[in-house]
Structures are given as C-alpha cells and as structure tokens.
Amino acid sequence: MNALITGASKGIGRAIAKAFANEGCDLVLVSRTLRDLAVVKQEIKLLQPSITIHILAADVSTQAGIKTLMTFIRTLKIDIDILVNNAGVFLPGEIKNSAVGNLEKMMDTNFFSAYYLTRELLPHLLTKKSGAIFNICSIASLDSYPNGSDYCISKFALYGFSKCLRQELKESGIKVISVLPGATWTDSWKGVDLPNERLMQADDIGIMMAASLKLSPSAVVEDIILRPQLGDL
Ligand SMILES: NC(=O)c1ccc[n+]([C@@H]2O[C@H](COP(=O)([O-])OP(=O)(O)OC[C@H]3O[C@@H](n4cnc5c(N)ncnc54)[C@H](OP(=O)(O)O)[C@@H]3O)[C@@H](O)[C@H]2O)c1
C-alpha cells in the first residue's frame, strides 16, 4: 500500500510516517522543506530498509503546490491507497484582535489543502473502491479555547469537511477517518514549560492510526479522539 502524508517532515506527520512504515506501507512524504524530509526518509529507511519512500517539497496551502504534488504522483506511476491530510499551522489570536491574514493562512493550510488534495485524489480512489483518507483535525475541532479562535475555526471546518466526506463515501469502499488529538509534543509547543508527561507523544497518534488500518473492509473508525491522560490544557 502507498500512503501520501502531508506535513510529514516533523511532529505528528513524521510519527504517522513511521507508524505506517511499520505496517509495511510505502510512503510519499510532503512538506515545504526538502532537507527535513530527507532526514525523516533516512530515519525510516534505517528502521525499515525494504520500504520505498519518495519525498517532495511542496506547499499544499496553494493550488500551485497541489498541482506540483499531483504531477509528482503521476510521474511516479504509483497508486495512492491512503491519504493523510496532516499539514497544519497554529497561529494564536482571537477574532477581536488577530492579525489580518492569520485566518486566511490557517484556512489555506489547515482546511483548503485537505479539501483540494482530496478532490484531486478522489477520482482515482473511487475507481479502486478502497483506501483510506485520514484528516488530522484536533480537539480544537470540538470546542473553542482562549486565544485560539482562528485556529479553531479552521479545525472546525476541517472536521466538518471530514464528516461530509465520510457521508459521501459510505458506499464507495473508501474509509474516512477524522483524527482529533489533544495537546501533543511537537515543534508547535516549542518553549512551553511543562513536564513531559503533561502532553501526548506524537507516536501515540501514529500508533492509533495504524491500528485503524487493521480492520476488515466492513468496519471504519470514524473518529479517533486522543487526549493527554491528565486532560486538556
Ligand atoms: N501538536 C499538537 O498539539 C496538535 C494537536 C492537535 C492537532 N494537531 C494538528 O496536527 C498536525 C501536525 O501538527 P504538528 O504539531 O505535528 O506540527 P509541526 O510539528 O509544526 O509540523 C507541521 C508539519 O506540516 C508541514 N507544513 C506546514 N505548512 C505546510 C504547507 N503549507 N505545505 C506543506 N507542508 C506544510 C511542516 O513542514 P514545513 O514547515 O517544512 O512545510 C511540518 O512537516 C496539524 O494539522 C495540527 O493542527 C496538532
């Protein structure tokens, strides 16, 4: 199976890539920074030498980036079985004071990237009548929280998209899985002074997602909600 993962060079995306490689998936890894992707590729190759890994620098928040990615996939002549819409960005701010452009940036990166990339890949997945689409939403898709309004708006949109897609694809054989993690140690939390055990590990997310791939074709995990054992921050 081939898995395409956006935002795979760091954090949760990197952990998902490792977990899927453990299950024997070949990988197409995308982010904007090729050297970071090359490091991840090397790490996974050391653990799983038989896995094929392709890497591409592309900005999936833009139509041009999505076009570049689709051209890359066609050039590779591979069938994508699993899409993971993970690329995301967090910018703090409230509706009353957030910088102009912040909402647009987060909508483009956190929501429109998933919407347009999924639309590009769907005709292929529909022909195959199988596969899985994971959308990395957030606890912030369920509730708002202080100083996170624009982020929450983008993540509510992504979860709404994911639910609509699940409804549309019920009869298609394609599984749609919304992943809603709480606070997870990644670069997004750089500089935050909290004990290690207060947040989840990125590997926790990858492990649960890989487990959901083991179900029979007649079952789907619709929502994966993960929180730190000590609860939300
Ligand atoms: N960490 C948490 O607590 C948490 C909780 C819930 C949900 N999430 C969600 O999980 C996802 C991953 O978050 P993370 O914490 O792992 O973030 P991260 O460590 O900052 O990693 C983000 C990844 O996305 C890539 N990326 C960002 N913008 C991109 C773009 N326009 N095009 C292509 N790639 C792009 C980054 O690489 P480049 O910068 O090189 O492009 C990087 O690989 C996000 O959707 C986030 O909202 C995170």
Side-chain angles (χ1 to χ4, degrees):
M1 279 201 296
N2 291 300
L4 166 59
I5 304 171
T6 68
S9 64
K10 287 188 232 161
I12 292 173
R14 172 175 165 273
I16 297 166
K18 274 170 44 194
F20 283 11
N22 269 341
E23 298 302 321
C25 290
D26 292 321
L27 303 171
V28 180
L29 307 180
V30 186
S31 79
R32 291 167 302 181
T33 315
L34 198 61
R35 66 172 183 281
D36 292 344
L37 288 168
V39 172
V40 174
K41 178 176 176 173
Q42 200 177 13
E43 281 173 5
I44 297 176
K45 276 297 226 180
L46 275 176
L47 298 169
Q48 307 286 344
S50 60
I51 298 295
T52 302
I53 305 174
H54 303 284
I55 57 174
L56 175 76
D59 182 346
V60 293
S61 72
T62 67
Q63 293 290 336
I66 288 177
K67 208 169 161 188
T68 303
L69 172 53
M70 292 308 297
T71 305
F72 183 68
I73 290 165
R74 280 185 209 109
T75 312
L76 293 174
K77 292 191 173 38
I78 55 170
D79 275 348
I80 298 296
D81 306 286
I82 301 168
L83 167 63
V84 182
N85 288 310
N86 167 74
V89 63
F90 171 79
L91 300 170
E94 298 191 322
I95 294 165
K96 61 180 177 287
N97 64 13
S98 75
V100 173
N102 273 10
L103 176 62
E104 287 80 354
K105 184 173 173 56
M106 284 191 279
M107 287 300 286
D108 285 344
T109 310
N110 301 352
F111 168 64
F112 282 115
S113 64
Y115 182 84
Y116 285 115
L117 184 53
T118 302
R119 277 167 57 109
E120 286 290 338
L121 279 170
L122 261 184
H124 163 71
L125 290 171
L126 286 167
T127 314
K128 284 165 61 93
K129 298 190 193 312
S130 65
I133 300 172
F134 291 87
N135 295 306
I136 310 302
C137 306
S138 171
I139 286 300
S141 301
L142 298 173
D143 262 318
S144 60
Y145 62 87
N147 212 26
S149 296
D150 288 349
Y151 179 72
C152 288
I153 291 167
S154 71
K155 288 292 179 178
F156 267 70
L158 183 63
Y159 190 35
F161 158 74
S162 199
K163 281 178 162 298
C164 293
L165 193 65
R166 162 74 184 129
Q167 179 61 35
E168 279 187 30
L169 298 184
K170 267 184 185 161
E171 310 285 333
S172 71
I174 305 164
K175 301 185 183 197
V176 178
I177 299 153
S178 306
V179 184
L180 295 88
T184 308
W185 281 122
T186 66
D187 279 3
S188 310
W189 293 90
K190 214 186 238 169
V192 172
D193 187 19
L194 286 169
N196 192 44
E197 64 275 13
R198 186 63 189 86
L199 271 65
M200 293 183 288
Q201 302 300 317
D203 285 341
D204 293 327
I205 320 301
I207 288 166
M208 285 305 293
M209 289 171 59
S212 74
L213 291 175
K214 295 182 196 292
L215 303 188
S216 76
S218 59
V220 61
V221 183
E222 289 185 332
D223 290 341
I224 299 177
I225 302 179
L226 297 111
R227 286 195 159 90
Q229 171 64 17
L230 291 167
D232 289 334
L233 288 171

Short mmCIF file of all heavy atoms in Angstrom, two decimals, residues 61-109:
data_model
loop_
_atom_site.label_atom_id
_atom_site.label_comp_id
_atom_site.label_asym_id
_atom_site.label_seq_id
_atom_site.Cartn_x
_atom_site.Cartn_y
_atom_site.Cartn_z
N SER A 61 -0.74 24.46 0.79
CA SER A 61 -1.74 25.50 1.06
C SER A 61 -2.07 26.30 -0.21
O SER A 61 -2.93 27.17 -0.19
CB SER A 61 -1.26 26.46 2.15
OG SER A 61 -0.23 27.30 1.67
N THR A 62 -1.35 25.99 -1.31
CA THR A 62 -1.59 26.70 -2.56
C THR A 62 -2.03 25.73 -3.66
O THR A 62 -1.66 24.55 -3.64
CB THR A 62 -0.31 27.42 -3.05
OG1 THR A 62 0.66 26.42 -3.42
CG2 THR A 62 0.28 28.31 -1.97
N GLN A 63 -2.75 26.27 -4.62
CA GLN A 63 -3.17 25.44 -5.78
C GLN A 63 -1.94 24.98 -6.54
O GLN A 63 -1.89 23.86 -7.05
CB GLN A 63 -4.09 26.24 -6.70
CG GLN A 63 -5.44 26.59 -6.07
CD GLN A 63 -6.33 25.36 -5.90
OE1 GLN A 63 -6.17 24.38 -6.60
NE2 GLN A 63 -7.24 25.42 -4.94
N ALA A 64 -0.93 25.87 -6.64
CA ALA A 64 0.29 25.52 -7.38
C ALA A 64 0.99 24.34 -6.71
O ALA A 64 1.48 23.42 -7.39
CB ALA A 64 1.22 26.72 -7.46
N GLY A 65 1.03 24.35 -5.38
CA GLY A 65 1.67 23.26 -4.64
C GLY A 65 0.95 21.95 -4.84
O GLY A 65 1.58 20.89 -4.99
N ILE A 66 -0.37 21.99 -4.83
CA ILE A 66 -1.16 20.76 -5.02
C ILE A 66 -0.95 20.23 -6.45
O ILE A 66 -0.80 19.02 -6.66
CB ILE A 66 -2.64 21.02 -4.69
CG1 ILE A 66 -2.76 21.17 -3.17
CG2 ILE A 66 -3.53 19.89 -5.20
CD1 ILE A 66 -4.11 21.48 -2.65
N LYS A 67 -0.85 21.15 -7.41
CA LYS A 67 -0.60 20.74 -8.80
C LYS A 67 0.78 20.06 -8.90
O LYS A 67 0.91 19.01 -9.54
CB LYS A 67 -0.63 21.99 -9.70
CG LYS A 67 -1.04 21.70 -11.10
CD LYS A 67 -1.30 23.00 -11.84
CE LYS A 67 -1.24 22.74 -13.33
NZ LYS A 67 -1.28 23.94 -14.12
N THR A 68 1.77 20.65 -8.25
CA THR A 68 3.13 20.06 -8.25
C THR A 68 3.09 18.65 -7.67
O THR A 68 3.71 17.72 -8.19
CB THR A 68 4.08 20.93 -7.40
OG1 THR A 68 4.08 22.24 -7.93
CG2 THR A 68 5.50 20.39 -7.38
N LEU A 69 2.36 18.50 -6.57
CA LEU A 69 2.26 17.20 -5.90
C LEU A 69 1.57 16.18 -6.81
O LEU A 69 2.03 15.03 -6.94
CB LEU A 69 1.51 17.37 -4.57
CG LEU A 69 1.13 16.11 -3.80
CD1 LEU A 69 2.35 15.21 -3.57
CD2 LEU A 69 0.51 16.47 -2.46
N MET A 70 0.48 16.57 -7.45
CA MET A 70 -0.24 15.64 -8.32
C MET A 70 0.62 15.23 -9.51
O MET A 70 0.61 14.07 -9.93
CB MET A 70 -1.57 16.25 -8.78
CG MET A 70 -2.59 16.43 -7.67
SD MET A 70 -2.89 14.93 -6.70
CE MET A 70 -3.55 13.82 -7.93
N THR A 71 1.38 16.18 -10.06
CA THR A 71 2.29 15.86 -11.17
C THR A 71 3.34 14.86 -10.71
O THR A 71 3.66 13.89 -11.41
CB THR A 71 2.97 17.15 -11.69
OG1 THR A 71 1.96 18.08 -12.02
CG2 THR A 71 3.84 16.88 -12.91
N PHE A 72 3.86 15.08 -9.51
CA PHE A 72 4.88 14.18 -8.93
C PHE A 72 4.31 12.75 -8.82
O PHE A 72 4.97 11.78 -9.21
CB PHE A 72 5.27 14.73 -7.55
CG PHE A 72 6.34 13.96 -6.83
CD1 PHE A 72 7.65 13.95 -7.31
CD2 PHE A 72 6.06 13.28 -5.66
CE1 PHE A 72 8.66 13.26 -6.63
CE2 PHE A 72 7.06 12.59 -4.97
CZ PHE A 72 8.35 12.58 -5.46
N ILE A 73 3.10 12.64 -8.31
CA ILE A 73 2.49 11.31 -8.13
C ILE A 73 2.29 10.62 -9.49
O ILE A 73 2.58 9.43 -9.64
CB ILE A 73 1.15 11.43 -7.36
CG1 ILE A 73 1.44 11.81 -5.90
CG2 ILE A 73 0.37 10.12 -7.40
CD1 ILE A 73 0.24 12.30 -5.15
N ARG A 74 1.85 11.41 -10.47
CA ARG A 74 1.65 10.82 -11.81
C ARG A 74 2.98 10.36 -12.39
O ARG A 74 3.07 9.29 -13.00
CB ARG A 74 0.98 11.83 -12.74
CG ARG A 74 -0.52 11.89 -12.50
CD ARG A 74 -1.24 12.79 -13.47
NE ARG A 74 -2.41 13.33 -12.80
CZ ARG A 74 -2.56 14.59 -12.40
NH1 ARG A 74 -1.63 15.49 -12.65
NH2 ARG A 74 -3.64 14.96 -11.76
N THR A 75 4.02 11.14 -12.16
CA THR A 75 5.36 10.78 -12.67
C THR A 75 5.85 9.49 -12.02
O THR A 75 6.50 8.66 -12.66
CB THR A 75 6.37 11.91 -12.36
OG1 THR A 75 5.79 13.14 -12.75
CG2 THR A 75 7.68 11.71 -13.10
N LEU A 76 5.53 9.31 -10.72
CA LEU A 76 5.97 8.10 -10.02
C LEU A 76 5.23 6.86 -10.51
O LEU A 76 5.69 5.72 -10.30
CB LEU A 76 5.71 8.24 -8.50
CG LEU A 76 6.54 9.28 -7.75
CD1 LEU A 76 6.05 9.39 -6.30
CD2 LEU A 76 8.01 8.91 -7.76
N LYS A 77 4.05 7.09 -11.14
CA LYS A 77 3.20 5.99 -11.62
C LYS A 77 2.87 5.01 -10.49
O LYS A 77 3.03 3.78 -10.63
CB LYS A 77 3.88 5.25 -12.77
CG LYS A 77 4.02 6.06 -14.05
CD LYS A 77 4.46 5.17 -15.18
CE LYS A 77 4.48 5.78 -16.54
NZ LYS A 77 4.91 7.13 -16.73
N ILE A 78 2.46 5.56 -9.34
CA ILE A 78 2.04 4.68 -8.24
C ILE A 78 0.59 4.98 -7.90
O ILE A 78 0.08 6.07 -8.17
CB ILE A 78 2.91 4.87 -6.97
CG1 ILE A 78 2.91 6.35 -6.53
CG2 ILE A 78 4.32 4.35 -7.18
CD1 ILE A 78 3.54 6.56 -5.17
N ASP A 79 -0.05 3.97 -7.30
CA ASP A 79 -1.43 4.11 -6.83
C ASP A 79 -1.41 4.55 -5.38
O ASP A 79 -0.85 3.86 -4.53
CB ASP A 79 -2.12 2.73 -6.85
CG ASP A 79 -2.69 2.42 -8.21
OD1 ASP A 79 -2.76 3.34 -9.03
OD2 ASP A 79 -3.06 1.26 -8.42
N ILE A 80 -2.02 5.67 -5.09
CA ILE A 80 -2.13 6.08 -3.68
C ILE A 80 -3.34 5.37 -3.07
O ILE A 80 -4.45 5.42 -3.60
CB ILE A 80 -2.29 7.61 -3.55
CG1 ILE A 80 -1.06 8.34 -4.12
CG2 ILE A 80 -2.54 8.02 -2.10
CD1 ILE A 80 0.25 8.09 -3.39
N ASP A 81 -3.11 4.67 -1.95
CA ASP A 81 -4.18 3.95 -1.25
C ASP A 81 -4.66 4.72 -0.02
O ASP A 81 -5.82 4.61 0.39
CB ASP A 81 -3.68 2.58 -0.77
CG ASP A 81 -3.09 1.77 -1.90
OD1 ASP A 81 -3.86 1.28 -2.72
OD2 ASP A 81 -1.84 1.67 -1.98
N ILE A 82 -3.73 5.46 0.58
CA ILE A 82 -4.04 6.16 1.84
C ILE A 82 -3.59 7.61 1.71
O ILE A 82 -2.44 7.88 1.34
CB ILE A 82 -3.28 5.51 3.03
CG1 ILE A 82 -3.67 4.04 3.17
CG2 ILE A 82 -3.57 6.27 4.32
CD1 ILE A 82 -2.75 3.27 4.13
N LEU A 83 -4.49 8.52 2.02
CA LEU A 83 -4.14 9.95 2.05
C LEU A 83 -4.23 10.42 3.50
O LEU A 83 -5.25 10.19 4.16
CB LEU A 83 -5.11 10.76 1.17
CG LEU A 83 -5.07 12.28 1.35
CD1 LEU A 83 -3.71 12.86 0.96
CD2 LEU A 83 -6.18 12.95 0.53
N VAL A 84 -3.19 11.09 3.97
CA VAL A 84 -3.23 11.68 5.31
C VAL A 84 -3.10 13.20 5.17
O VAL A 84 -2.03 13.71 4.82
CB VAL A 84 -2.12 11.14 6.23
CG1 VAL A 84 -2.25 11.76 7.62
CG2 VAL A 84 -2.16 9.62 6.31
N ASN A 85 -4.19 13.90 5.40
CA ASN A 85 -4.19 15.37 5.37
C ASN A 85 -3.77 15.86 6.74
O ASN A 85 -4.60 16.01 7.65
CB ASN A 85 -5.59 15.88 5.01
CG ASN A 85 -5.94 15.64 3.56
OD1 ASN A 85 -5.16 15.96 2.66
ND2 ASN A 85 -7.12 15.07 3.30
N ASN A 86 -2.46 16.07 6.88
CA ASN A 86 -1.92 16.42 8.21
C ASN A 86 -1.31 17.82 8.27
O ASN A 86 -1.27 18.42 9.34
CB ASN A 86 -0.84 15.38 8.59
CG ASN A 86 -0.01 15.82 9.78
OD1 ASN A 86 -0.47 15.81 10.92
ND2 ASN A 86 1.23 16.25 9.52
N ALA A 87 -0.83 18.35 7.15
CA ALA A 87 -0.14 19.65 7.18
C ALA A 87 -1.01 20.67 7.91
O ALA A 87 -2.20 20.80 7.63
CB ALA A 87 0.17 20.13 5.77
N GLY A 88 -0.39 21.39 8.84
CA GLY A 88 -1.17 22.36 9.59
C GLY A 88 -0.27 23.38 10.25
O GLY A 88 0.94 23.17 10.41
N VAL A 89 -0.89 24.49 10.61
CA VAL A 89 -0.13 25.56 11.27
C VAL A 89 -1.03 26.15 12.37
O VAL A 89 -2.25 26.18 12.22
CB VAL A 89 0.31 26.62 10.23
CG1 VAL A 89 -0.88 27.30 9.58
CG2 VAL A 89 1.25 27.63 10.82
N PHE A 90 -0.39 26.55 13.47
CA PHE A 90 -1.12 27.21 14.55
C PHE A 90 -0.62 28.63 14.72
O PHE A 90 0.59 28.84 14.91
CB PHE A 90 -0.94 26.44 15.87
CG PHE A 90 -1.50 27.19 17.05
CD1 PHE A 90 -2.87 27.18 17.31
CD2 PHE A 90 -0.68 27.92 17.90
CE1 PHE A 90 -3.40 27.89 18.38
CE2 PHE A 90 -1.20 28.63 18.97
CZ PHE A 90 -2.57 28.61 19.22
N LEU A 91 -1.52 29.58 14.62
CA LEU A 91 -1.18 30.98 14.93
C LEU A 91 -2.17 31.43 15.99
O LEU A 91 -3.38 31.27 15.81
CB LEU A 91 -1.33 31.86 13.68
CG LEU A 91 -0.45 31.50 12.48
CD1 LEU A 91 -0.87 32.28 11.24
CD2 LEU A 91 1.02 31.77 12.79
N PRO A 92 -1.69 31.96 17.14
CA PRO A 92 -2.62 32.36 18.19
C PRO A 92 -3.41 33.60 17.78
O PRO A 92 -3.02 34.31 16.85
CB PRO A 92 -1.69 32.66 19.37
CG PRO A 92 -0.38 33.00 18.76
CD PRO A 92 -0.29 32.26 17.46
N GLY A 93 -4.49 33.84 18.49
CA GLY A 93 -5.23 35.07 18.24
C GLY A 93 -6.73 34.89 18.45
O GLY A 93 -7.25 33.77 18.35
N GLU A 94 -7.39 35.99 18.78
CA GLU A 94 -8.84 35.98 18.95
C GLU A 94 -9.47 36.78 17.82
O GLU A 94 -8.79 37.60 17.18
CB GLU A 94 -9.20 36.58 20.31
CG GLU A 94 -8.61 35.76 21.46
CD GLU A 94 -9.16 36.17 22.81
OE1 GLU A 94 -9.37 37.38 23.01
OE2 GLU A 94 -9.37 35.28 23.64
N ILE A 95 -10.76 36.57 17.59
CA ILE A 95 -11.45 37.24 16.48
C ILE A 95 -11.28 38.76 16.59
O ILE A 95 -11.06 39.44 15.59
CB ILE A 95 -12.95 36.84 16.48
CG1 ILE A 95 -13.07 35.33 16.16
CG2 ILE A 95 -13.74 37.67 15.47
CD1 ILE A 95 -14.43 34.73 16.48
N LYS A 96 -11.34 39.25 17.83
CA LYS A 96 -11.31 40.71 18.00
C LYS A 96 -9.92 41.33 17.77
O LYS A 96 -9.82 42.52 17.55
CB LYS A 96 -11.83 41.12 19.39
CG LYS A 96 -11.03 40.57 20.56
CD LYS A 96 -11.67 41.07 21.87
CE LYS A 96 -10.97 40.50 23.09
NZ LYS A 96 -11.25 39.07 23.31
N ASN A 97 -8.88 40.49 17.78
CA ASN A 97 -7.54 41.12 17.68
C ASN A 97 -6.54 40.38 16.80
O ASN A 97 -5.38 40.79 16.70
CB ASN A 97 -6.93 41.28 19.09
CG ASN A 97 -6.69 39.92 19.76
OD1 ASN A 97 -6.73 38.89 19.10
ND2 ASN A 97 -6.45 39.93 21.06
N SER A 98 -6.93 39.29 16.15
CA SER A 98 -5.92 38.53 15.41
C SER A 98 -5.45 39.31 14.18
O SER A 98 -6.22 40.07 13.59
CB SER A 98 -6.43 37.14 15.02
OG SER A 98 -7.31 37.25 13.96
N ALA A 99 -4.19 39.09 13.83
CA ALA A 99 -3.61 39.84 12.70
C ALA A 99 -4.36 39.52 11.41
O ALA A 99 -4.76 38.36 11.19
CB ALA A 99 -2.14 39.46 12.56
N VAL A 100 -4.52 40.53 10.58
CA VAL A 100 -5.19 40.33 9.28
C VAL A 100 -4.36 39.33 8.48
O VAL A 100 -3.14 39.44 8.40
CB VAL A 100 -5.31 41.68 8.51
CG1 VAL A 100 -5.83 41.44 7.10
CG2 VAL A 100 -6.23 42.63 9.27
N GLY A 101 -5.03 38.33 7.95
CA GLY A 101 -4.33 37.31 7.15
C GLY A 101 -4.10 36.01 7.91
O GLY A 101 -3.87 34.98 7.30
N ASN A 102 -4.17 36.07 9.25
CA ASN A 102 -3.95 34.84 10.03
C ASN A 102 -5.01 33.78 9.74
O ASN A 102 -4.69 32.60 9.56
CB ASN A 102 -3.97 35.14 11.53
CG ASN A 102 -2.61 35.54 12.06
OD1 ASN A 102 -1.69 35.79 11.28
ND2 ASN A 102 -2.48 35.63 13.37
N LEU A 103 -6.25 34.21 9.72
CA LEU A 103 -7.32 33.24 9.46
C LEU A 103 -7.16 32.64 8.06
O LEU A 103 -7.28 31.43 7.87
CB LEU A 103 -8.70 33.90 9.60
CG LEU A 103 -9.89 33.00 9.24
CD1 LEU A 103 -9.96 31.78 10.19
CD2 LEU A 103 -11.21 33.76 9.28
N GLU A 104 -6.85 33.51 7.08
CA GLU A 104 -6.69 33.04 5.70
C GLU A 104 -5.55 32.02 5.63
O GLU A 104 -5.68 30.98 4.97
CB GLU A 104 -6.40 34.21 4.77
CG GLU A 104 -7.59 35.12 4.49
CD GLU A 104 -7.88 36.14 5.59
OE1 GLU A 104 -7.23 36.09 6.67
OE2 GLU A 104 -8.77 36.99 5.39
N LYS A 105 -4.44 32.31 6.31
CA LYS A 105 -3.30 31.39 6.27
C LYS A 105 -3.69 30.03 6.87
O LYS A 105 -3.36 28.98 6.31
CB LYS A 105 -2.10 31.98 7.04
CG LYS A 105 -0.86 31.10 6.96
CD LYS A 105 0.35 31.76 7.55
CE LYS A 105 1.55 30.85 7.64
NZ LYS A 105 1.99 30.24 6.41
N MET A 106 -4.40 30.08 7.98
CA MET A 106 -4.77 28.80 8.61
C MET A 106 -5.86 28.08 7.82
O MET A 106 -5.84 26.85 7.73
CB MET A 106 -5.16 29.02 10.06
CG MET A 106 -3.92 29.25 10.93
SD MET A 106 -4.24 29.23 12.69
CE MET A 106 -4.85 30.88 12.93
N MET A 107 -6.78 28.82 7.23
CA MET A 107 -7.79 28.15 6.38
C MET A 107 -7.10 27.50 5.18
O MET A 107 -7.43 26.38 4.80
CB MET A 107 -8.86 29.15 5.92
CG MET A 107 -9.81 29.58 7.00
SD MET A 107 -10.76 28.22 7.74
CE MET A 107 -11.93 27.87 6.44
N ASP A 108 -6.15 28.21 4.57
CA ASP A 108 -5.45 27.66 3.40
C ASP A 108 -4.65 26.40 3.78
O ASP A 108 -4.66 25.41 3.06
CB ASP A 108 -4.49 28.70 2.80
CG ASP A 108 -5.23 29.77 2.03
OD1 ASP A 108 -6.41 29.57 1.69
OD2 ASP A 108 -4.62 30.83 1.75
N THR A 109 -3.95 26.47 4.91
CA THR A 109 -3.06 25.35 5.28
C THR A 109 -3.84 24.21 5.95
O THR A 109 -3.62 23.04 5.63
CB THR A 109 -1.96 25.84 6.26
OG1 THR A 109 -1.36 27.01 5.72
CG2 THR A 109 -0.90 24.77 6.46
#
